[in-house]
Amino acid sequence: MWDRNQMAARAAQELEDGWYVNLGIGIPTLVANYVGDKDITLQSENGMLGMGPFPFEGEEDPDLINAGKQTITEMDRTAYFDSATSFGMIRGGKIAAAILGAMEVAENGDLANWMIPGKLVKGMGGAMDLVAGVGRVIVVMDHTNKHGESKLLKACTLPLTGQAVVDRIITNLGVLDVVEGGLKIVECAEGVTEDELRAATEATIV
Amino acid sequence: MKKIYDSPAAALDGLLFDGMFIAAGGFGLCGIPELLLDAIKQAGTKDLTFASNNAGVDDFGIGILLQTRQVKKMISSYVGENAEFMRQYLSGELELEFNPQGTLAERMRAGGCGIPGFYTKTGVGTVIAEGKEHKDFNGETYIMEEGIFADLSIVKAWKADETGNLLFRKTARNFNPPAAMCGKVCIAEVEEIVPTGSIDPDLIHLPGIYVHRIIQGEHEKRIEQRTTRKREDA
């Protein structure tokens, strides 16, 4: 089984040299630590390409934050722009990939990650725009929820963020692709057998 | 025509009315028109509808207008940082229209460009698409979203010249240019008004045609999530 960092490292393998990429909050943020020598430019959808690391203490700039509202830094390659331009590049398919977390993914690629009915709804932020617009949507999440139930389902039960938008799912148990007819196992995590992966998955595996 | 006003209250004079629709710039607490929001609070204008990506926190940004019950409706993409907002929303005192963030930005930009509607893939197959016109282009389904036309735009910029040409700073630009474009009147609050001619015309972020009134003032510029790294990590 993979831990958070191993999942992030596996997700980093998905990125190709020269790509412009948007990383979500949580485990996806850790992906930046594992890109190695690849030339990857990170987009922050509040209006920045070329997002740098957190600032040193005392060097925080209130005018420089990421989409999670955290203070960050710029790089030599950084460019700033307004929100309409930022989502123009997202909607226009210029961002090669988005890596994001999810509550549920269905076997047809439906994604739910913004709202649980009856619980506090904070909003979708830029998630719906990202999954509808970017070249490739890669979900990184635990395979099961805290009750041990599969998060890879035949159909999502929660309100959708996007319809048939997910390309690949990386979980603590392995990697699966959304294909015609269901999910296809790409690889199993270390120490996980294909039978264990199947047993933990509600979605149809083809 | 003189665009520079002495104070936020003077800049707002004659523009405010109950039930009006205001587009505000800012993302989180970054690049928000904090001085104008404070002046609207002092003016006591009621039943406001705000198009703004976020709703501030309890005691800063649009949050201060929620405390005084001046807001009737919010059009936003994410409102998770405001307890008073949630209380009013859950009790039915406050209307909330969620817009995907890019849809909200484009609705403002489109309104400012005289475009009453546009098609986007964002939200197709979700609750956002319910009741909206669907149309296929090249085999893909899109939904129609409408441009925003606000009574007033309030934005924060870094510098303005005396004709209203604006410069923003880093990610504090965010929603400010599209918000500025979509109002009948736009007021920009800036950290510094510089002499006309002192900004390289090639570097202007938003031309002064969109900006009708300008004020200069001291900004608190609060940080919402202060995150740092240790020097030894470098």
Side-chain angles (χ1 to χ4, degrees):
Chain A
M1 238 168 58
W2 287 327
D3 64 20
R4 287 163 59 86
N5 284 300
Q6 287 168 315
M7 286 158 71
R10 179 61 190 81
Q13 291 175 25
E14 300 294 320
L15 305 180
E16 292 180 21
D17 196 52
W19 275 13
Y20 292 84
V21 175
N22 186 294
L23 302 179
I25 293 167
I27 300 174
T29 305
L30 301 174
V31 173
N33 300 333
Y34 298 98
V35 296
D37 294 336
K38 283 184 280 198
D39 186 34
I40 301 294
T41 303
L42 297 180
Q43 193 222 26
S44 189
E45 67 266 25
N46 53 319
M48 177 184 201
L49 280 168
M51 178 168 54
F54 293 143
F56 293 124
E57 210 172 293
E59 294 179 3
E60 308 93 317
D61 183 339
D63 288 337
L64 183 45
I65 63 170
N66 64 17
K69 289 146 192 165
Q70 298 169 310
T71 46
I72 47 160
T73 55
E74 64 185 20
M75 308 167 78
D76 287 344
R77 69 176 58 187
T78 295
Y80 298 111
F81 33 84
D82 67 70
S83 298
T85 305
S86 184
F87 283 91
M89 65 184 71
I90 289 168
R91 206 183 297 104
K94 314 300 176 187
I95 303 293
I99 302 181
L100 55 160
M103 298 170 188
E104 296 177 347
V105 178
E107 61 191 41
N108 68 343
D110 285 358
L111 169 72
N113 74 350
W114 78 282
M115 171 180 185
I116 301 175
K119 293 210 173 161
L120 206 61
V121 182
K122 295 183 169 185
M124 72 290 287
M128 285 190 181
D129 309 275
L130 279 160
V131 299
V134 303
R136 213 170 146 68
V137 174
I138 300 159
V139 166
V140 181
M141 65 175 189
D142 282 331
H143 206 91
T144 55
N145 64 22
K146 59 177 184 241
H147 306 297
E149 298 156 347
S150 175
K151 293 170 70 175
L152 290 72
L153 304 171
K154 292 190 186 307
C156 289
T157 64
L158 298 170
L160 296 186
T161 308
Q163 197 174 46
V165 291
V166 176
D167 295 290
R168 179 165 277 197
I169 309 153
I170 297 169
T171 77
N172 50 328
L173 302 185
V175 181
L176 300 99
D177 273 350
V178 177
V179 297
E180 193 68 39
L183 305 181
K184 183 171 180 290
I185 297 173
V186 176
E187 68 183 81
C188 296
E190 251 172 47
V192 176
T193 67
E194 198 176 309
D195 284 346
E196 286 168 335
L197 187 59
R198 283 173 182 274
T201 307
E202 185 207 288
T204 308
I205 292 181
V206 296
Chain B
M1 201 186 95
K2 195 169 142 43
K3 292 187 177 180
I4 300 170
Y5 287 71
D6 291 336
S7 68
L12 286 163
D13 188 45
L15 299 178
L16 296 176
F17 60 93
D18 291 348
M20 71 187 299
F21 183 9
I22 301 176
F27 180 91
L29 303 181
C30 181
I32 59 172
E34 52 182 271
L35 306 176
L36 288 161
L37 288 170
D38 194 52
I40 292 169
K41 179 186 172 182
Q42 304 304 328
T45 319
K46 294 192 299 287
D47 297 326
L48 301 171
T49 294
F50 269 97
S52 170
N53 189 54
N54 312 95
V57 293
D58 282 332
D59 64 341
F60 197 59
I62 290 174
I64 63 170
L65 298 174
L66 292 167
Q67 287 188 337
T68 50
R69 311 287 177 89
Q70 287 171 259
V71 184
K72 182 182 74 178
K73 181 178 176 182
M74 291 293 310
I75 304 171
S76 305
S77 86
Y78 191 84
V79 294
E81 318 299 340
N82 193 317
E84 177 61 16
F85 183 103
M86 282 302 169
R87 195 199 63 70
Q88 289 185 24
Y89 173 58
L90 294 172
S91 70
E93 295 164 60
L94 181 68
E95 281 177 63
L96 171 60
E97 177 186 322
F98 274 130
N99 278 194
Q101 195 175 142
T103 294
L104 179 59
E106 189 63 15
R107 289 185 65 195
M108 291 181 180
R109 195 197 72 84
C113 296
I115 298 171
F118 59 93
Y119 292 93
T120 177
K121 266 193 289 187
T122 301
V124 170
T126 76
V127 292
I128 293 302
E130 287 172 11
K132 289 178 183 157
E133 184 200 331
H134 287 58
K135 189 170 166 128
D136 287 2
F137 295 87
N138 301 317
E140 292 223 54
T141 303
Y142 294 74
I143 54 172
M144 193 189 76
E145 295 282 1
E146 295 185 6
I148 284 176
F149 301 90
D151 296 309
L152 174 67
S153 301
I154 55 172
V155 301
K156 153 78 173 53
W158 180 37
K159 292 181 182 183
D161 70 14
E162 294 147 309
T163 71
N165 290 319
L166 298 184
L167 284 181
F168 300 91
R169 190 169 171 276
K170 302 184 189 286
T171 57
R173 190 179 325 183
N174 58 59
F175 272 84
N176 284 294
M181 291 164 70
C182 74
K184 287 185 197 126
V185 180
C186 172
I187 311 175
E189 57 175 71
V190 303
E191 294 174 46
E192 188 183 1
I193 298 172
V194 299
T196 302
S198 67
I199 302 173
D200 181 343
D202 266 335
L203 299 183
I204 287 164
H205 295 143
L206 188 74
I209 190 168
Y210 295 108
V211 180
H212 306 93
R213 301 185 181 190
I214 315 159
I215 46 163
Q216 177 180 305
E218 291 288 321
H219 288 80
E220 177 184 337
K221 299 212 282 186
R222 195 182 293 186
I223 292 177
E224 199 162 341
Q225 304 275 350
R226 190 178 296 274
T227 45
T228 58
R229 65 189 151 132
K230 298 245 187 302
R231 288 204 180 262
E232 50 266 35
D233 293 345

